[in-house]
């Protein structure tokens, strides 16, 4: 039998379970002071039991006769008759023994890996404190209870915190006798904040300006400057597009384009740049067409509901419609509420208090929404205020009437011309034109196609003056109508057509062909103390989504602000306080700093006024965010270098004792390369650009000449957020560097380390082209001296000068590589001038710089 690998820390924890050891001694050995705050069962223990234990030990699966879904059952134990928990005595608790045993056959849980040291410590401490387990009827999951602002915790080192964030972080560190890391150097902070907020490195001028500014508010002013730039929205809007499953095609076999969907992307970027209050941002995307002040922008925002994949030729249209509604429910509940309501589609949620009735009550909210179609072709629609849309409809009706009138005049004269013997065309041609299109023979069709231009020219010349005047007057009238009521921008969004509102039902087992009880619009019962009022329809829509949006955007909603501040925290630190950012339910992870999460959520709504930019300022101003990265060999306490290392005690940096080490996303990597090479095109918004893709990648398509536009380097050098996203054909560089899955809401990018990434970044055409441009820039701006070129390369790419050993190494490399270039050319029977050899060597150095780890990691 294969034994499961046992983490080393478990052997250390096993020493805790000696009969003579009391609970407090156990906890002290584990590094937890007896004065630590009591374990919160609902927030910390219950989610852990649900996630790691109840799959085998609940009412349905009582393996070994053991249940861990109630205190009574846990006290009773299983077939061994030994209590799973012995309140106050961890050493006598079978649960503790089984999660810390040396015997890997006995170690629990049997699947998914052993519990972490933090999880073992948590359960041990909970049992030592008496295993407090409130009755189920009295327990509400922490995330489903509205946040209440906690008091700021007391800290010993009162000189370290700069704002409330720091107090919460430091209090947890001090509880364990730990210290935070020192502050990062000014130059490190500069590059970190530029990449964090804009996804671009600082220019030389920006570096010089900040480094020379010694005023106390220099960093705060820099943050304000970056938040005011368009590049901020381009960077942070991309995070939201991941959640919104944004792409520009429908997927499936034909993968047709979503017309003008790019306007939703531009809406998101603009919303971040204008600091649109988050509660308004919610209402616009969920119910922008139902707002009293609905306009082009808010209609385009509702494209959120239409961004997912769509099958234009489904085998089962009825079930396909249910799948479309499911996509809306899943995306809305995950993106805004951080709950997996989609798991209640076929049955009640297995872990969270979310029922199938909750799911289908929300389906009733979205059911009236329809796509704009012509047959099965996906269409866009004009976007404007209700007044503008009404005026446009009247205009188009008048234009249609005038066009119909002109067509009738032309048809009458054409018929008269053909039958009156006025045409010079031969008889067989006239007969072909007189024959109905459906009745024409292939030969007649070919003849008509060939002679239509000649006939049209004859008819135009033969038109009497009176007819010309009528047609000219109609065309003039149409032009006047278009001037008086100009075209509106077109966007890609759903609509609620007039007519009877469809009834909604629970679909048994999720089948659209098996309706159960009827349901009415409602929100999940477990998430609210009182159902919101769903008003009666008005003349435009059902207003159901507006009621939902108002409930989600309410200050009383227990999830909305928590989820948003956690997402912002996630993108500043690499991980959220809750590390499952779209799952705040029972199987999601508990927050590492629950009080801080609630404080931030309450602050965000009240002091912050739902302003994301204010939240950025608060987080970036904290000493916590401004710490150094991990320092090798840091001891537990100053002056105790031989003590336990923080990197061992907290390898995941859960307590934020240092700034995290994390890789940039592919968009920031690509954009930084363009910025450094000098080729970044700053054009904002508009139709998407098409990055260059290898011919080999296109060759696998059934229609390689049509799925991708020809390469235009200037246009393709725009920021990556403007790249065309085709679901069936992802740009290889984006795909290999972990761009998100666009078929569903993505809350966190994967960070993989695979061989094709190295090949793409070192051998790919994009990187090699930027290396050539980069080398040209160095020669142009630094001159021919290698040392000056190296200095400039380091400052442009890494925002720091090279160290003396780096400068020496690169100088030596340039000399040796130039000689190698000449030697290789000579061996190949070619001639290479020394000047060209020097240029080639510099290009190779630039390629190496763009591949440095430091280039793709903020610091």
């Amino acid at each position: 039998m294969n034994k499961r690998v046992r983490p080393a820390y478990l052997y250390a924890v096993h020493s805790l379970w000696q009969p003579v050891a009391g609970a407090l001694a156990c906890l002290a050995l584990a590094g937890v002071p007896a004065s630590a705050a009591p374990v919160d069962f609902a927030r910390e223990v219950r989610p852990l039991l649900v996630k790691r234990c109840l799959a085998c030990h609940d009412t349905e699966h009582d393996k070994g006769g053991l249940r861990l879904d109630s205190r009574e059952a846990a006290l009773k134990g299983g077939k061994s008759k030994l209590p799973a928990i012995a309140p106050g005595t961890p050493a006598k608790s079978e649960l503790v023994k089984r999660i810390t045993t040396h015997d890997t056959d006995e170690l629990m849980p049997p699947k998914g890996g052993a519990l972490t040291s933090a999880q073992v410590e948590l359960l041990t401490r909970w049992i030592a404190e008496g295993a407090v387990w409130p009755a189920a009827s009295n327990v509400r999951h922490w995330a489903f209870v509205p946040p209440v602002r906690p008091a700021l915790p007391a800290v010993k080192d009162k000189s370290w915190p700069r704002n409330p964030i720091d107090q919460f972080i430091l209090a947890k560190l001090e509880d364990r006798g730990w210290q935070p890391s020192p502050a990062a150097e000014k130059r490190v902070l500069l590059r970190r904040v530029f990449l964090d907020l804009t996804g671009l490195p600082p220019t030389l001028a920006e570096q010089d300006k900040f480094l020379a500014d010694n005023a106390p508010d220099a960093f705060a002013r820099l943050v304000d400057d970056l938040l005011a730039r368009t590049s901020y929205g381009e960077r942070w809007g991309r995070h939201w597009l991941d959640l919104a499953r944004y792409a520009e095609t429908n997927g499936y076999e034909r993968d047709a384009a979503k017309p003008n969907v790019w306007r939703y992307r531009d809406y998101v970027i603009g919303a971040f740049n204008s600091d649109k209050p988050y509660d308004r941002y919610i209402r616009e995307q969920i119910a922008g067409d139902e707002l009293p002040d609905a306009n082009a922008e808010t209609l385009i925002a509702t494209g959120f509901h239409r961004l997912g994949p769509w099958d234009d030729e489904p085998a089962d249209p009825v079930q396909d419609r249910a799948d479309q509604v499911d996509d809306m429910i899943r995306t809305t509940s995950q993106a805004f509420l951080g709950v997996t309501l989609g798991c209640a589609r076929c049955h009640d949620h297995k872990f969270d208090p979310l029922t199938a009735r909750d799911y289908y009550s929300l389906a009733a909210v979205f059911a009236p929404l329809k796509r704009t179609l012509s047959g099965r072709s996906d269409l866009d629609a004009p976007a404007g205020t209700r007044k503008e849309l009404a005026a446009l409809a009247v205009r188009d009706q008048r234009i249609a009437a005038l066009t119909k009138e002109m067509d009738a005049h032309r048809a009458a004269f054409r018929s008269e011309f053909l039958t009156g013997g006025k045409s010079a065309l031969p008889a067989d041609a006239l007969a072909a034109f007189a024959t109905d299109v459906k009745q024409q023979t292939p030969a007649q069709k070919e003849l008509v196609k060939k002679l239509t231009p000649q006939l049209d020219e004859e008819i135009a010349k033969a038109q009497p003056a009176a007819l010309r005047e009528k047609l000219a007057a109609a065309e003039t009238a149409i032009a006047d109508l278009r001037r008086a009521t100009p075209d509106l921008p077109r966007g890609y969004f759903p609509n609620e057509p007039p007519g009877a509102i469809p009834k909604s039902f629970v679909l048994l087992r999720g089948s659209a062909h098996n309706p159960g009880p009827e349901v009415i619009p409602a929100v999940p019962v477990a998430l609210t103390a009182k159902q919101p009022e769903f008003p009666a329809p008005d003349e435009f829509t059902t207003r159901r989504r507006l009621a939902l949006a108002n409930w989600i955007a309410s200050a009383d909603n227990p999830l909305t602000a928590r989820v948003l501040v956690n997402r912002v925290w996630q993108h500043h630190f690499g991980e959220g306080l809750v590390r499952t950012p779209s799952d705040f339910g029972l199987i999601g992870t508990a927050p590492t700093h629950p009080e801080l999460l609630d404080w931030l959520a309450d602050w965000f709504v009240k002091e912050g006024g739902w302003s994301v930019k204010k939240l950025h300022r608060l987080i970036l101003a904290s000493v916590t965010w401004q710490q150094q990265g991990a320092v090798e060999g840091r001891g537990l306490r100053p002056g105790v270098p031989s003590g336990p290392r923080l990197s061992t005690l907290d390898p995941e940096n859960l307590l934020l004792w240092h700034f995290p080490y994390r890789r940039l996303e592919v968009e920031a990597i690509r954009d930084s390369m363009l910025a450094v090479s000098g080729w970044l095109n700053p054009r904002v918004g508009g139709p998407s650009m098409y990055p260059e893709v290898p011919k080999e990648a296109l060759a696998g398509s059934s229609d390689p000449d049509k799925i991708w536009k020809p390469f235009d380097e200037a246009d393709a050098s725009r920021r990556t957020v403007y790249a065309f996203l085709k679901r069936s054909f992802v740009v290889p560089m984006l795909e290999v560097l972990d761009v998100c899955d666009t078929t569903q809401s993505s809350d966190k990018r994967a960070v993989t380390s695979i061989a094709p990434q190295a090949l793409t970044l070192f051998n790919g055409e994009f990187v090699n082209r930027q290396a050539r441009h980069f080398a040209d820039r160095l020669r142009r701006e630094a001159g021919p001296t290698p040392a000056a070129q190296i200095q400039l390369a380091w400052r442009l790419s890494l925002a720091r000068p090279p160290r003396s050993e780096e400068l020496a190494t690169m100088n030596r490399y340039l000399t040796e590589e130039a000689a190698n270039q000449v030697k290789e050319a000579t061996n190949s029977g070619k001639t290479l001038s020394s000047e060209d050899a020097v240029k080639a060597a510099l290009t190779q150095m630039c390629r190496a710089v763009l591949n440095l780890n430091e280039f793709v990691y903020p610091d």
Side-chain angles (χ1 to χ4, degrees):
M1 174 182 287
N2 292 329
K3 298 283 189 178
R4 285 180 291 135
V5 177
R6 180 186 180 82
Y9 68 79
L10 287 184
Y11 290 103
V13 173
H14 183 76
S15 66
L16 302 178
W17 316 124
Q18 302 302 319
V20 296
L24 292 179
C26 295
L27 296 173
L29 285 172
V32 182
S35 60
V39 175
D40 185 322
F41 175 81
R43 187 186 291 268
E44 300 174 280
V45 176
R46 188 181 183 209
L48 179 57
L49 293 177
V50 169
K51 189 173 185 178
R52 300 306 311 274
C53 305
L54 294 195
C56 297
H57 300 292
D58 64 0
T59 54
E60 295 182 22
H61 316 90
D62 55 346
K63 290 189 177 180
L66 175 63
R67 285 172 49 196
L68 293 174
D69 54 352
S70 72
R71 192 174 196 269
E72 293 72 21
L75 290 171
K76 181 180 177 182
K79 293 178 181 178
S80 68
K81 304 300 182 183
L82 298 173
I85 58 173
T89 316
K92 295 182 179 179
S93 300
E94 190 67 14
L95 173 64
V96 173
K97 292 179 181 178
R98 295 298 293 274
I99 64 176
T100 59
T101 179
H102 285 282
D103 188 340
T104 53
D105 289 333
E106 296 292 314
L107 181 64
M108 292 291 155
K111 297 179 180 179
L115 298 184
T116 67
S117 56
Q119 291 169 335
V120 170
E121 173 209 310
L122 174 70
L123 292 175
T124 303
R125 187 151 57 97
W126 169 63
I127 294 172
E129 292 172 357
V132 175
W133 192 322
S137 59
N138 297 327
V139 176
R140 287 186 68 193
H141 181 52
W142 67 269
F144 302 161
V145 178
V148 176
R149 182 179 298 201
L152 297 181
V155 295
K156 297 173 186 175
D157 184 358
K158 294 180 172 50
S159 66
W160 191 78
R162 189 175 294 158
N163 67 25
I165 290 173
D166 300 324
Q167 287 189 243
F168 286 104
I169 299 299
L170 183 59
K172 283 237 175 189
L173 293 173
E174 288 184 342
D175 276 349
R176 287 156 176 76
W178 302 357
Q179 287 186 341
S181 295
E185 295 179 2
K186 195 172 183 181
R187 192 182 290 276
V188 171
L189 281 182
L190 173 68
R191 184 167 186 261
R192 182 190 296 175
V193 75
F194 261 83
L195 291 171
D196 188 326
L197 290 181
T198 71
L200 297 172
T203 65
L204 297 187
E206 290 164 341
Q207 294 175 41
D208 292 341
K209 180 181 179 182
F210 178 69
L211 294 174
D213 189 345
N214 295 315
D217 65 342
F219 186 75
R221 285 187 282 106
L222 174 62
V223 169
D224 287 344
D225 175 22
L226 296 179
L227 289 174
R229 299 185 184 190
T230 304
S231 53
Y232 158 72
E234 291 169 330
R235 168 72 161 150
W236 279 77
R238 180 60 255 182
H239 298 324
W240 183 263
L241 294 175
D242 283 13
L243 290 168
R245 80 273 190 232
Y246 176 82
E248 299 185 51
T249 62
N250 286 321
Y252 293 96
E253 183 178 0
R254 274 189 282 273
D255 198 23
K258 294 178 180 287
N260 284 311
V261 70
W262 57 264
R263 282 201 165 93
Y264 173 83
R265 176 205 65 208
D266 287 0
Y267 160 81
V268 170
I269 292 171
F272 275 91
N273 278 329
S274 66
D275 199 19
K276 188 185 292 290
Y278 186 63
D279 57 340
R280 173 70 182 192
Y281 185 67
I282 294 168
R283 290 183 173 95
E284 289 182 354
Q285 292 186 79
I286 294 177
D289 56 326
E290 297 188 311
L291 293 170
D293 57 345
N295 56 32
E297 181 182 51
T298 67
L299 262 64
I300 288 167
T302 63
F304 174 82
H305 298 302
R306 204 176 166 188
L307 295 175
W310 177 65
D311 189 352
D312 61 2
E313 196 173 35
D316 185 342
V318 176
Q319 189 65 39
D320 175 70
R321 173 59 187 164
D323 292 344
Q324 291 178 46
V325 174
D326 177 70
D327 172 67
M328 299 179 206
I329 292 171
R330 288 175 185 268
T331 308
T332 301
S333 63
Q334 290 176 23
F336 295 111
L337 297 172
V339 293
T340 55
L341 187 57
C343 295
R345 182 182 185 182
C346 301
H347 48 70
D348 291 349
H349 199 293
K350 185 170 178 59
F351 303 109
D352 295 339
L354 302 171
T355 67
R357 190 173 189 88
D358 288 332
Y359 174 95
Y360 287 102
S361 295
L362 202 60
V365 174
F366 294 112
L369 276 178
K370 303 296 180 185
R371 309 179 79 87
T372 304
L373 299 171
S374 175
R376 294 296 292 181
S377 295
D378 220 9
L379 302 180
D380 57 7
T385 65
R386 288 170 180 169
K387 183 177 180 180
E388 289 170 338
L389 291 170
L392 185 68
V394 170
R395 184 206 76 175
D396 288 347
Q397 288 174 355
R398 291 177 178 172
I399 290 175
L402 288 167
T403 302
K404 184 178 180 180
E405 181 182 338
M406 287 193 296
D407 289 344
H409 286 312
R410 290 191 181 102
F413 182 75
R414 180 188 181 91
S415 176
E416 177 186 334
F417 186 83
L418 288 172
T419 59
K422 299 178 180 179
S423 174
L425 294 177
D428 60 338
L430 293 175
F433 277 107
T435 302
D436 185 89
V437 174
K438 295 180 181 179
Q439 304 299 322
Q440 287 175 350
T441 66
Q444 286 179 317
K445 289 180 180 178
E446 185 62 30
L447 195 59
V448 166
K449 180 180 178 181
K450 177 182 178 181
L451 296 178
T452 292
Q454 181 180 338
L455 177 63
D456 288 344
E457 185 179 350
E458 288 182 357
I459 291 174
K461 290 179 179 178
Q463 281 180 349
L467 176 57
R468 290 199 186 108
E469 289 175 3
K470 284 183 180 180
L471 295 176
E475 288 169 352
T476 303
I478 289 174
D480 289 343
L481 287 170
R482 292 191 182 281
R483 276 193 294 272
T485 308
D487 287 340
L488 294 172
R490 300 187 71 82
Y492 185 80
F493 49 87
N495 66 88
E496 287 195 11
I501 302 170
K503 291 184 177 181
S504 294
F505 303 88
V506 172
L507 302 181
L508 303 180
R509 305 302 299 173
S511 172
H513 301 286
N514 193 12
E518 185 177 350
V519 292
I520 60 174
V523 301
V525 173
L527 305 185
T528 185
K530 181 183 179 182
Q531 283 290 326
E533 179 183 350
F534 284 85
D538 62 16
E539 61 181 303
F540 303 105
T541 71
T542 62
R543 298 198 291 172
R544 292 178 177 181
R545 283 174 290 109
L546 184 57
L548 172 65
N550 286 336
W551 172 75
I552 292 177
S554 167
D556 298 327
N557 189 293
L559 288 160
T560 307
R562 278 184 176 129
V563 169
L564 188 279
V565 299
N566 187 67
R567 294 198 193 283
V568 174
W569 187 277
Q570 170 195 349
H571 292 300
H572 282 308
F573 288 95
E575 293 283 0
L577 296 169
V578 174
R579 295 198 167 199
T580 50
S582 285
D583 187 359
F584 274 50
L586 283 161
I587 60 171
T589 61
T592 56
H593 298 75
E595 295 82 8
L596 173 56
L597 179 64
D598 284 1
W599 190 94
L600 285 170
D602 187 79
W603 178 93
F604 177 63
V605 173
K606 294 176 181 175
E607 279 91 331
W610 300 89
S611 164
V612 174
K613 287 190 177 182
K614 288 182 180 179
L615 182 59
H616 287 310
R617 291 187 181 98
L618 180 71
I619 293 173
L620 296 175
S622 70
V623 192
T624 303
W625 188 86
Q626 296 183 23
Q627 291 181 96
Q628 285 182 7
V631 179
E632 279 297 321
R634 270 195 65 199
L636 176 61
R637 296 180 179 86
V640 191
S642 60
R645 306 296 172 187
L646 296 189
S647 57
T648 301
L649 294 169
D650 184 15
E652 296 180 74
N653 194 29
L654 295 173
L655 298 187
L656 289 168
W657 55 275
H658 68 85
F659 190 78
Y661 189 61
R662 58 197 177 107
R663 193 178 75 194
L664 292 171
E665 303 94 324
V666 62
E667 292 90 345
I669 293 173
R670 182 180 180 275
D671 294 350
S672 293
M673 289 182 176
L674 286 166
V676 167
S677 74
W679 267 74
L680 181 65
N681 181 342
R683 186 160 69 85
V684 174
S688 296
M689 58 81 171
Y690 289 75
E692 183 180 19
V693 297
K695 293 180 180 178
E696 297 80 3
L698 289 171
S701 169
S702 60
D703 201 356
D705 296 329
K706 294 184 179 179
I707 67 166
W708 209 249
K709 290 186 177 181
F711 179 55
D712 176 338
E713 185 174 6
D715 192 47
S717 296
R718 298 171 65 199
R719 295 203 65 172
T720 313
V721 71
Y722 299 118
F724 188 81
L725 293 177
K726 186 174 180 64
R727 283 194 160 102
S728 65
F729 181 79
V730 181
V731 175
M733 179 180 181
L734 304 189
E735 185 172 32
V736 79
L737 287 169
D738 303 320
V739 75
C740 70
D741 175 9
T742 63
T743 63
Q744 59 188 341
S745 180
S746 297
D747 59 5
K748 190 188 295 187
R749 295 276 181 98
V751 182
T752 62
S753 295
I754 56 176
Q757 292 171 346
L759 295 173
T760 297
L761 290 175
F762 203 71
N763 296 333
E765 177 55 33
F766 172 80
V767 177
N768 277 272
R769 178 180 287 108
Q770 300 317 310
R772 293 192 291 271
H773 292 323
F774 191 10
D776 290 342
R777 180 180 185 182
L778 296 181
R779 286 191 294 271
R780 187 170 61 249
E781 296 181 14
T785 307
Q789 294 171 343
I790 297 166
Q791 290 275 357
L792 181 58
W794 250 248
R795 289 197 63 199
L796 287 172
S797 59
L798 306 179
R800 67 171 178 84
R803 302 180 186 95
S804 57
E805 62 271 21
E806 292 172 328
L807 183 59
T809 299
M810 282 297 104
N811 252 318
R812 186 168 59 252
Y813 169 80
L814 289 174
T815 300
E816 293 174 352
E817 178 61 19
N820 286 337
Q821 292 282 339
V822 172
K823 182 178 179 180
E824 289 179 7
T826 301
N827 291 341
S828 301
K830 300 176 182 178
T831 302
L832 183 68
S833 68
S834 59
E835 181 181 357
D836 287 341
V838 168
K839 287 181 179 179
L842 185 60
T843 298
Q844 292 307 310
M845 185 199 80
C846 289
R847 182 166 66 146
V849 170
L850 297 179
N851 274 270
L852 291 173
N853 264 2
E854 190 176 346
F855 186 80
V856 298
Y857 285 83
D859 60 319

